[in-house]
Amino acid sequence: MVDLLELLQESDQIVLRRLRMSGQAWIVGGWVRDALSGLEVEDLDIATTLKPNEVAEIFPRSIMVGEIYGTVRVRLDEPLEEDKMWEVTTLRTEGGYGDGRRPDNVEFGELIETDLARRDFTINAIAIDDSGGLIDPFGGIGDLEEGVLRSVGDASERIGEDGLRILRTFRFLDWGERGTRSLDEGLEEAVRTNLEMLDRVSKERIWSEISRILSLKNVSAIVDKMGDCGVFREIFTGISLNVGVEFSDSSLVNLALLCSADDRGGKELAEELRSLLRISNDEAAAVGFLHNCRGVELANDPGSVRRFRAALPGERQIDLLAYITGLGRDVSDFVETLNSTGALIAGNAPLVDGNLLSSETGLDGGVRLGRLKAWLHRRQIEEDIGEKEEILSMLEEIHWEEGDPEKWPILSWP
């Protein structure tokens, strides 16, 4: 087995060394799990016998984010990496979870084994000591090797302490390139029988976990399992879901795909999701746009492709193609045309401005002039026109003096 301590950065070693000059400190949590799995390690979490005020004395730039629960975010006086922080938590035992979210009381302790006993899953209850030795009182290393997700101790008790652990269960089912971990029977039963615990979790925390789940390597299999366990019925109340889609690597695209069976318009669906999950305005707008495009056919002519490119930001183009692909429709011909269509001669900006158009038509500023300008801009983009005179000559053919300007086509997609 590789020496896990060799994976530490110089700044990690400095923090651990300073803590160990005054007390004991262990590496815990996701860093240990990922290092043992051969994955890229990220933030280093540390457990210590030192109290929060003692940690802050060693690192004066610390942020006391959860002092009552023993947690301090440590920053070095002279950071080797910009704004890097370490979450350092005092060893602790916990009382009951009256609200299903936070412990009623916390007592600081001295034994790392007792601290590990309060954690959710065995694969997250492994620690590394100062010599690089592994402390694994609950068989987490074996479960990591076998691909099993199992709770620490009684599964119902663990789920009953914090409803968010229901969603964490499915997040940790992901086993990367190896597929999904198998779900321990006791843990699965605890999830199925404690779904009401999700009502005690904030909507923001639920969306944070759902978003991470929808970005996983094996999202399709995990979503199927969540549906089978009844999790979606509890979270997406009143929304018609579609799990028979081809998920992408974007959580927002996947949220839109998951909701693609709903009959409502994009705006109504987005508002419902804002209520259920507290997604942001930008996230709601993105999902609403995609939902409105679920029945759109991609026209493969150059004009439509140019308008697609000009009207939509690059990220939204990528999301839309992933969304339509996820619904089971072939976009290969459209993508081929998109890739073979050169840049616009005059770029995206309109060649004819309002002043020039007013002088040519005699129209004063207002809706008719504005919509006429937008109509000409659309023609400019679709036909890839590079001269003002050619655009102005279109005034003779589009009958702009008549009709309702609100019905005139403008540069938009679809």
Side-chain angles (χ1 to χ4, degrees):
M1 180 181 293
V2 64
D3 182 356
L4 299 182
L5 298 184
E6 292 181 356
L7 301 176
L8 295 173
Q9 302 296 316
E10 180 182 355
S11 55
D12 299 329
Q13 296 171 352
I14 291 173
V15 171
L16 287 165
R17 187 162 55 245
R18 290 187 186 176
L19 290 169
R20 287 165 176 162
M21 289 175 65
S22 301
Q24 293 177 279
W26 298 263
I27 305 170
V28 294
W31 193 97
V32 182
R33 180 193 67 243
D34 291 344
L36 288 171
S37 302
L39 303 176
E40 182 177 350
V41 290
E42 297 182 355
D43 296 336
L44 188 75
D45 291 340
I46 300 170
T48 181
T49 54
L50 298 173
K51 305 299 189 292
N53 63 309
E54 294 173 318
V55 174
E57 288 177 5
I58 299 171
F59 303 98
R61 295 182 67 236
S62 295
I63 302 174
M64 311 298 282
V65 293
E67 185 176 2
I68 188 174
Y69 301 112
T71 300
V72 178
R73 286 184 184 163
V74 162
R75 295 187 296 179
L76 292 175
D77 295 336
E78 297 180 1
L80 300 178
E81 299 176 50
E82 189 67 25
D83 294 330
K84 183 173 182 178
M85 290 189 288
W86 294 259
E87 195 161 283
V88 178
T89 303
T90 305
L91 295 180
R92 69 196 195 201
T93 59
E94 298 169 349
Y97 285 67
D99 64 358
R101 295 181 296 140
R102 297 177 294 263
D104 296 332
N105 56 76
V106 172
E107 293 184 6
F108 297 139
E110 297 291 331
L111 298 176
I112 183 62
E113 291 82 4
T114 303
D115 184 86
L116 294 176
R118 68 179 177 80
R119 297 176 183 268
D120 50 9
F121 309 117
T122 61
I123 62 174
N124 294 333
I126 310 168
I128 302 175
D129 62 22
D130 55 358
S131 66
L134 293 167
I135 302 169
D136 179 26
F138 303 104
I141 295 174
D143 287 344
L144 268 179
E145 293 172 348
E146 295 173 15
V148 176
L149 189 68
R150 195 188 322 273
S151 66
V152 172
D154 184 85
S156 289
E157 289 184 12
R158 295 289 83 77
I159 297 297
E161 289 167 351
D162 183 356
L164 195 66
R165 286 175 175 169
I166 291 174
L167 297 181
R168 284 171 60 83
T169 295
F170 295 100
R171 172 152 66 90
F172 286 113
L173 280 184
D174 190 72
W175 206 14
E177 296 295 337
R178 287 171 285 190
T180 59
R181 295 184 171 96
S182 62
L183 183 56
D184 173 71
E185 289 184 6
L187 180 54
E188 180 173 344
E189 180 63 19
V191 167
R192 290 179 181 273
T193 56
N194 286 277
L195 292 175
E196 74 280 355
M197 289 296 300
L198 288 168
D199 295 336
R200 303 188 183 188
V201 182
S202 74
K203 292 175 169 53
E204 291 84 357
R205 292 179 76 202
I206 287 178
W207 169 232
S208 177
E209 283 296 324
I210 290 290
S211 177
R212 297 174 78 172
I213 290 169
L214 292 177
S215 300
L216 294 174
K217 177 75 174 176
N218 300 287
V219 57
S220 183
I222 293 171
V223 161
D224 283 344
K225 191 65 175 178
M226 293 176 74
D228 179 59
C229 290
V231 175
F232 288 139
R233 289 194 302 272
E234 193 73 22
I235 294 174
F236 293 94
T237 306
I239 294 181
S240 298
L241 299 182
N242 180 9
V243 298
V245 294
E246 183 179 336
F247 289 107
S248 72
D249 57 5
S250 163
S251 60
L252 277 180
V253 172
N254 289 344
L255 178 61
L257 285 168
L258 188 62
C259 298
S260 59
D262 199 272
D263 290 334
R264 280 169 285 196
K267 182 178 180 181
E268 292 77 16
L269 174 66
E271 286 303 312
E272 185 69 12
L273 289 172
R274 278 176 52 80
S275 173
L276 293 174
L277 298 175
R278 297 290 191 270
I279 62 177
S280 70
N281 290 336
D282 287 345
E283 290 168 336
V287 172
F289 170 78
L290 292 174
H291 192 66
N292 281 336
C293 293
R294 62 194 184 282
V296 167
E297 295 294 334
L298 293 174
N300 200 31
D301 61 279
S304 180
V305 169
R306 293 189 190 108
R307 182 161 48 84
F308 173 88
R309 180 184 287 168
L312 299 180
E315 184 176 353
R316 185 153 288 187
Q317 294 176 34
I318 294 171
D319 287 351
L320 181 57
L321 292 174
Y323 178 74
I324 293 177
T325 298
L327 293 175
R329 302 212 296 273
D330 185 7
V331 301
S332 57
D333 289 343
F334 183 86
V335 171
E336 183 178 352
T337 303
L338 182 66
N339 292 335
S340 63
T341 300
L344 294 168
I345 295 173
N348 282 2
L351 289 173
V352 174
D353 61 23
N355 291 330
L356 177 57
L357 193 56
S358 179
S359 67
E360 290 289 326
T361 63
L363 291 173
D364 295 327
V367 172
R368 185 170 290 272
L369 180 67
R371 294 285 296 201
L372 179 57
K373 175 188 169 185
W375 189 358
L376 293 175
H377 185 207
R378 174 172 172 142
R379 292 285 298 271
Q380 172 192 322
I381 296 297
E382 289 181 333
E383 300 173 35
D384 196 15
I385 298 170
E387 300 294 335
K388 294 180 183 179
E389 292 74 15
E390 186 175 353
I391 295 173
L392 291 173
S393 69
M394 293 179 179
L395 292 171
E396 300 178 3
E397 64 180 71
I398 61 176
H399 309 296
W400 55 269
E401 301 96 336
E402 305 167 1
D404 181 0
E406 295 291 349
K407 296 181 180 180
W408 294 348
I410 62 174
L411 181 61
S412 63
W413 206 96

